[in-house]
Amino acid sequence: MSSSPAARSKAGAASRSTAGVVTWLDERLGIGALTKKQLRKVFPDHWSFMLGEIALWSFVILLLTGTFLSFWFKPSMAEVEYMGSYANLRGLHMSEAYASTLDLSFDVRGGLLMRQMHHWSANLFLASMTIHMLRVFFTGAFRKPRELNWMIGLALLMLGIIEGFAGYSLPDDLLSGTGLRIAQGLMLSIPVVGSYISFFVFGGEFPGDDFIPRLYTVHVLLVPGILLALITAHMLLLVYHKHTQFPGPGRTNNNVVGFPLMPVYMAKAGGFFFIVFGVTALMGGLLQINPIWMYGPYNPAEVTAGSQPDWYMGWLEGGLRIMPNWETNLWGYTLSWNVLIPGVLLLGVLFALLAFYPFIERWITGDDREHHLLERPRNAPTRTAFGVAGMTAYALLWIAGGNDILAYEFGLSLNAITYVMRVAIFVVPVLAFIITRRWCLSLQRHDREVVLHGYETGVIVRSPDGSYAEIHRPINPVRAYELTMHEQHTPVELPAAHDANGVPAPAQGKERLRSRLSHFWYADDVSKPTKEELEAAAHHATNGSHALEDGHGPASGNGAHLGIETSGIVGGQDFGLEQKPKAP
Amino acid sequence: MSDDGQHDSPGAGSNGAGDNSLLPIGPQEPLDNPGVPDHQPRPTDVDPALERRAERQVAAMFVVAAVMALAFCVVYFLYDPHPETGETALGVGASNLALGVTLGLSLLLIGLGAIQWARKLMADHEMIEYRHSAASTVEDRQEAIAAFQAGSEESGLGRRKLIRNSMLASMAMLGLPAVVLLRDLGPLPGVKLEQTVWRRGMRVVSDVSGRPIRPSEVPIGQLVNAEPAVFFEHAEEFEGNELLNEKAKAAVIVVRMPPEEITPYPSRKDWDVEGILCYSKICPHVGCPISLYEQQTHNVLCPCHQSTFDLANNGVVLFGPASRNLPQLPLGVDGEGYLIAMSGFQEPVGASFWERG
């Protein structure tokens, strides 16, 4: 930029000193080759790629704020008499954990801020991981070669849930103690070993005096250590595979188009860390969260109405609430299905389904290729429908987890809500599946329509003979390319039923199932326009009679022009619409 | 278009349309790839005044961020977080509010400044990098397999089955110490889950004051949270977690209703005292203390998962996920006229477990 000799020599000096530092480091670490390759690494741009970044930065904030908290928090269940600053609790007997959390909140300057930031960023961590996972699922980013990274991500989410629960259980207040009591009830429901697990975990009877110190080690050492290792693996694989990108002009399956790590993404991602941190700090300063001094110390004989876990446990809580009260007694032993199924098995089933999903889809579709281009959800209708059905089930469980609050706030019958939920959890996801799949297929049809016949302008013109027609205008070629470059999926066909000699070759059961599933998966997909169809549409638009005169019904694309803009004016006539053709 | 030299197919065209060698997509695509759109200069690229303005904006954000960091230090010393003597602002503690806002703004402005810098001033030419298949080359893979096989061959892992199997067995055995080592995490359950401190003749006392209860002190419709008298009479035995452990099993509720509304099982005909009944407070679902009592219906509801029990009818489950009735404690009156337990609970209280039967 600068052209003065002084500035140029300054720049020269700077680059010489950079070279000096790099040489010094390279001679010791050999970083030259790596840096050469990675410093200008290209990342694609899309707002949704930011979701995982929020999770990453929230984790960093959790480490920083958590370290601060650990300097004052005393993970001990020893009983003390509170003599601290908060008058309402003074003189009460409580655990040291609870008392030290009160001290952190009222006597350590900035302690409450760090506590609230820690809790807010935990919520943010789990929320962004969840939404990031949905993004990856709905765009097909989990496909080969990223299946293992998908599973690492799932492990992160599951550990994150455990870590969050462990974290809000540590202060040993009335609310968190109630959560632990429920967790102990879940342990007891495990067949054969349940009571042993409970006694080993709690060091005897509930609540005992071992659990908080043990949970503390799990919360500050064990789980964060695993999280850190898995996050590192997650990021290394991201760098190795290179980020997926959305399809677009110039963006293919074998390139990545975007901006370089240095400087653009260093500034953007680094800046984003400060933004996430800053927003978390503002939340910690402005929005109260988990005011433990209002709950009081834990007492197993007390509880408050409307007790709710943190949001990410809500769906498990909902399962516990709507489960019918089934219990089996056999030969003097008890199986508590009412607790075991929603409390223990549900989590396992959900994560197993998610973990194996990429392999299930790969088997059904027979697709063994590498995918680096993201799919629009509409172009994978069955996957999208499964995802929406899953989200619906999650949301219903979540709503069920607040059935008492709903009943209270809306003056409804608690029992009626629960009965409705018991049915809805099976019916509504199926409806969501059917609706979503049809919706996606309609959107595919719409894309095809727009490419072939242009978009609807909303301008109605009357022809001299009195008929009305809406003007369609062509979409621009970039948009047209984006709407036609997705993959046209084809179902897996069964091998010929007869071999060369006319002898029936019975398809094996597995192959038959696969073909049937694959047809269910893909057979309804709308075929995208072929070259011939596009040419025919172009021919129709330029040589055919004018749109207003060709007398087709609306269903056949009345007033249709070639769907793609070729030059300024299409079809020989401009209707004076000056607006830039925009994507419909 | 910049090309940093690492691309293996620079000839693929500067528009990135490249060939699809990595993923041959079936038939011919209907439209040709128009390539990466040409770079559109931003206003800051062409107008030096706007460029200078953006530069000033970024610098201003960084300067204000620095001021906010200083302000954080000032309010740290300025405000006291004490809940009574500390300053307040907007109805909340001033210390937390001011610290959060100053720290938040400082961080936020650094972030916004960096992103504004990237968006307005840093080069925004899109670059293209070519992908390689995640797999290594076929040769590399074969060499890797060969290396593994050579190593495996030289160790004789495949041939010396005795060594291999005994080694695997020894390692599998190491799982046992890892499990056994955890044995002392806690005592065995024994009968602890099945027993409470309730005994015949033990007084039922108010859970806050420890005062024994006379039947005449419990009006109809009243629910009293109660505990065994031993918690107060032998307070030295029940300290800290000993108390909490026993309380988690022994907490009870005492209710009174018109005697004619009670429909006891034949075996429980004399478990009440003038319409006063006593039930475990611990929900048989997963152990929350039940506490929401509805006088008219005699129903008690667990606030955690809404299991509902009918106290007039032996504590049977009316609704919700609990599968067992609320355990009942038979009541009587001692010589001084106070409520006492006529026995311990006749079944385990709290959540179900495998050995419960």
Side-chain angles (χ1 to χ4, degrees):
Chain A
M1 292 270 168
S2 318
S3 52
S4 73
R8 218 178 296 138
S9 83
K10 214 181 199 177
S15 96
R16 269 197 304 282
S17 79
T18 305
V21 172
V22 171
T23 305
W24 193 92
L25 285 173
D26 190 38
E27 282 170 359
R28 280 147 189 90
L29 304 171
I31 55 164
L34 189 72
T35 311
K36 173 193 86 175
K37 200 162 170 217
Q38 302 300 344
L39 211 51
R40 296 281 278 177
K41 189 175 181 61
V42 171
F43 284 93
D45 225 6
H46 192 269
W47 66 266
S48 69
F49 301 162
M50 185 185 72
L51 297 165
E53 227 179 301
I54 299 179
L56 175 68
W57 297 140
S58 298
F59 183 72
V60 176
I61 298 164
L62 283 166
L63 290 182
L64 293 172
T65 51
T67 305
F68 179 91
L69 297 178
S70 72
F71 294 153
W72 285 273
F73 177 70
K74 296 191 182 76
S76 156
M77 295 174 94
E79 195 178 64
V80 294
E81 193 181 342
Y82 179 67
M83 296 305 284
S85 299
Y86 189 62
N88 293 348
L89 295 175
R90 215 171 285 152
L92 279 187
H93 289 250
M94 56 181 65
S95 69
E96 246 187 312
Y98 185 64
S100 63
T101 312
L102 290 174
D103 291 344
L104 242 172
S105 306
F106 293 122
D107 298 300
V108 177
R109 281 174 284 188
L112 179 61
L113 178 67
M114 290 297 146
R115 255 198 67 223
Q116 300 202 127
M117 283 174 70
H118 195 69
H119 205 128
W120 274 122
S121 54
N123 277 321
L124 211 55
F125 181 54
L126 280 150
S128 51
M129 275 203 287
T130 307
I131 302 174
H132 171 63
M133 186 197 76
L134 291 175
R135 194 280 292 172
V136 168
F137 181 85
F138 283 115
T139 57
F142 57 80
R143 291 174 295 173
K144 189 180 175 185
R146 294 182 178 78
E147 302 99 324
L148 293 175
N149 222 13
W150 163 260
M151 291 173 92
I152 291 175
L154 273 178
L156 285 169
L157 181 60
M158 193 159 176
L159 285 169
I161 292 175
I162 294 169
E163 181 72 345
F165 179 76
Y168 77 69
S169 295
L170 280 173
D172 203 22
D173 56 279
L174 185 57
L175 184 61
S176 75
T178 304
L180 286 180
R181 180 85 217 224
I182 295 170
Q184 189 239 356
L186 304 191
M187 289 176 206
L188 287 179
S189 78
I190 298 170
V192 187
V193 293
S195 46
Y196 291 84
I197 290 180
S198 169
F199 269 66
F200 289 160
V201 166
F202 287 92
E205 290 192 88
F206 177 87
D209 53 9
D210 289 329
F211 188 66
I212 294 284
R214 287 177 185 177
L215 191 67
Y216 184 70
T217 306
V218 169
H219 180 74
V220 305
L221 179 73
L222 185 62
V223 179
I226 303 173
L227 281 173
L228 197 59
L230 288 178
I231 288 173
T232 309
H234 203 65
M235 306 302 297
L236 285 176
L237 278 174
L238 161 78
V239 168
Y240 180 65
H241 289 143
K242 297 188 165 79
H243 206 289
T244 51
Q245 61 186 352
F246 276 98
R251 288 144 209 263
T252 67
N253 199 45
N254 64 347
N255 71 8
V256 49
V257 180
F259 300 103
L261 175 64
M262 184 170 174
V264 175
Y265 272 97
M266 277 189 182
K268 277 192 172 179
F272 194 58
F273 165 67
F274 286 96
I275 286 182
V276 175
F277 207 166
V279 169
T280 310
L282 286 176
M283 289 170 91
L286 296 168
L287 308 173
Q288 185 180 70
I289 190 165
N290 202 24
I292 47 121
W293 56 89
M294 288 164 76
Y295 308 149
Y298 180 58
N299 175 344
E302 285 174 10
V303 69
T304 48
S307 289
Q308 290 283 329
D310 266 15
W311 71 268
Y312 44 86
M313 304 294 292
W315 63 287
L316 289 165
E317 171 84 357
L320 271 179
R321 287 180 184 207
I322 63 171
M323 183 72 196
N325 62 343
W326 299 337
E327 189 174 287
T328 311
N329 286 291
L330 284 176
W331 305 291
Y333 294 104
T334 304
L335 260 173
S336 306
W337 303 111
N338 54 340
V339 183
L340 189 65
I341 291 176
V344 183
L345 299 181
L346 188 64
L347 186 76
V349 166
L350 178 90
F351 275 87
L353 265 181
L354 284 171
F356 290 116
Y357 183 82
F359 304 100
I360 297 170
E361 188 184 297
R362 184 164 158 247
W363 182 73
I364 292 173
T365 60
D367 185 350
D368 193 33
R369 297 161 305 170
E370 281 190 24
H371 291 279
H372 302 288
L373 274 184
L374 297 172
E375 266 184 316
R376 297 172 83 204
R378 68 182 59 174
N379 290 328
T382 312
R383 177 201 300 148
T384 304
F386 270 120
V388 172
M391 283 171 71
T392 309
Y394 184 96
L396 285 169
L397 285 173
W398 203 66
I399 291 168
N403 59 357
D404 55 336
I405 313 255
L406 285 178
Y408 180 76
E409 294 291 336
F410 295 102
L412 298 169
S413 155
L414 176 88
N415 301 23
I417 294 177
T418 307
Y419 290 131
V420 167
M421 281 299 173
R422 283 179 184 172
V423 178
I425 192 65
F426 293 104
V427 175
V428 179
V430 175
L431 292 178
F433 181 92
I434 294 168
I435 293 170
T436 308
R437 198 162 176 277
R438 294 190 73 103
W439 197 336
C440 287
L441 292 170
S442 294
L443 286 169
Q444 287 188 358
R445 226 165 272 133
H446 174 75
D447 283 351
R448 179 185 156 88
E449 202 60 18
V450 165
V451 172
L452 283 176
H453 303 304
Y455 71 95
E456 296 167 358
T457 57
V459 176
I460 311 288
V461 290
R462 201 177 90 162
S463 69
D465 64 5
S467 68
Y468 290 87
E470 183 180 3
I471 300 171
H472 285 225
R473 296 278 295 166
I475 58 171
N476 74 39
V478 166
R479 185 72 189 146
Y481 177 72
E482 283 171 358
L483 292 179
T484 55
M485 75 174 292
H486 62 271
E487 199 181 336
Q488 185 79 56
H489 297 296
T490 46
V492 178
E493 295 298 341
L494 278 176
H498 297 273
D499 67 13
N501 300 325
V503 181
Q508 287 180 342
K510 223 167 95 180
E511 285 304 309
R512 195 188 295 270
L513 174 70
R514 175 183 182 165
S515 171
R516 210 171 276 166
L517 284 171
S518 171
H519 272 88
F520 169 67
W521 216 261
Y522 284 149
D524 293 335
D525 277 10
V526 174
S527 56
K528 61 184 187 182
T530 60
K531 231 179 173 84
E532 292 71 37
E533 284 171 324
L534 281 167
E535 275 158 14
H539 181 77
H540 173 74
T542 48
N543 296 359
S545 54
H546 190 270
L548 298 181
E549 293 149 23
D550 69 358
H552 289 310
S556 66
N558 196 3
H561 292 302
L562 165 63
I564 305 162
E565 189 182 51
T566 47
S567 59
I569 299 168
V570 180
Q573 188 171 343
D574 187 4
F575 289 94
L577 297 166
E578 289 302 322
Q579 86 261 40
K580 207 172 150 196
K582 61 170 190 282
Chain B
M1 196 61 39
S2 66
D3 184 330
D4 55 10
Q6 61 167 302
H7 308 327
D8 55 349
S9 47
S14 63
N15 62 7
D19 62 330
N20 259 334
S21 57
L22 197 64
L23 174 67
I25 292 181
Q28 181 75 42
E29 290 299 312
L31 290 170
D32 294 330
N33 189 342
V36 176
D38 292 334
H39 177 245
Q40 301 289 328
R42 296 162 294 185
T44 44
D45 289 331
V46 291
D47 185 345
L50 286 177
E51 188 192 345
R52 277 194 301 279
R53 196 174 82 170
E55 194 178 354
R56 281 196 304 274
Q57 284 171 346
V58 174
M61 285 192 240
F62 288 154
V63 169
V64 177
V67 172
M68 282 294 147
L70 282 176
F72 177 90
C73 302
V74 172
V75 296
Y76 181 93
F77 293 105
L78 199 61
Y79 295 130
D80 175 9
H82 195 281
E84 288 150 51
T85 57
E87 298 80 0
T88 58
L90 307 174
V92 298
S95 171
N96 185 63
L97 182 76
L99 289 173
V101 169
T102 49
L103 180 65
L105 286 178
S106 178
L107 291 161
L108 196 61
L109 285 166
I110 292 177
L112 291 174
I115 286 177
Q116 178 80 343
W117 182 6
R119 289 174 63 90
K120 300 279 181 185
L121 296 170
M122 287 181 188
D124 73 333
H125 291 270
E126 283 194 305
M127 290 169 57
I128 298 168
E129 205 172 87
Y130 288 89
R131 292 181 189 274
H132 311 278
S133 169
S136 346
T137 61
V138 178
E139 298 79 52
D140 277 352
R141 195 185 311 165
Q142 276 163 355
E143 275 178 44
I145 294 170
F148 179 81
Q149 281 168 344
S152 163
E153 187 57 35
E154 285 167 25
S155 71
L157 197 67
R159 261 180 301 121
R160 301 186 201 282
K161 290 211 165 54
L162 182 64
I163 289 186
R164 189 194 62 189
N165 293 345
S166 57
M167 180 183 76
L168 289 179
S170 66
M171 285 178 170
M173 242 3 117
L174 276 180
L176 286 177
V179 173
V180 168
L181 203 54
L182 295 175
R183 166 61 190 84
D184 277 347
L185 273 175
L188 297 181
V191 292
K192 282 186 182 146
L193 286 172
E194 285 149 38
Q195 291 178 351
T196 68
V197 294
W198 286 106
R199 296 287 175 274
R200 181 180 168 81
M202 190 177 290
R203 278 180 181 166
V204 181
V205 302
S206 154
D207 74 334
V208 181
S209 60
R211 276 188 42 226
I213 303 167
R214 283 181 194 282
S216 59
E217 294 169 348
V218 185
I220 285 181
Q222 175 94 355
L223 180 144
V224 179
N225 290 307
E227 279 172 8
V230 68
F231 289 170
F232 298 90
E233 290 164 1
H234 298 280
E236 70 288 345
E237 278 178 46
F238 294 98
E239 279 186 342
N241 293 289
E242 283 305 309
L243 178 63
L244 292 188
N245 292 352
E246 292 306 330
K247 213 189 241 188
K249 294 186 294 184
V252 291
I253 45 175
V254 173
V255 287
R256 182 169 209 169
M257 54 191 82
E260 65 276 13
E261 290 180 16
I262 305 173
T263 54
Y265 294 143
S267 61
R268 298 188 182 183
K269 272 211 174 331
D270 52 356
W271 283 21
D272 73 308
V273 173
E274 302 160 34
I276 300 177
L277 298 167
C278 182
Y279 288 95
S280 165
K281 198 184 179 183
I282 308 302
C283 184
H285 178 222
V286 285
C288 287
I290 48 169
S291 56
L292 301 173
Y293 182 54
E294 202 175 50
Q295 280 180 17
Q296 267 98 27
T297 58
H298 317 306
N299 290 352
V300 70
L301 182 119
C302 175
C304 287
H305 305 101
Q306 290 80 44
S307 296
T308 310
F309 306 89
D310 187 351
L311 298 191
N313 180 19
N314 306 288
V316 298
V317 184
L318 293 176
F319 175 76
S323 59
R324 289 175 180 272
N325 300 344
L326 208 52
Q328 189 178 353
L329 192 71
L331 282 186
V333 179
D334 67 8
E336 293 173 58
Y338 293 114
L339 289 179
I340 54 165
M342 296 305 286
S343 77
F345 280 104
Q346 300 185 352
E347 57 188 311
V349 300
S352 281
F353 49 96
W354 174 252
E355 302 90 339
R356 188 185 192 280

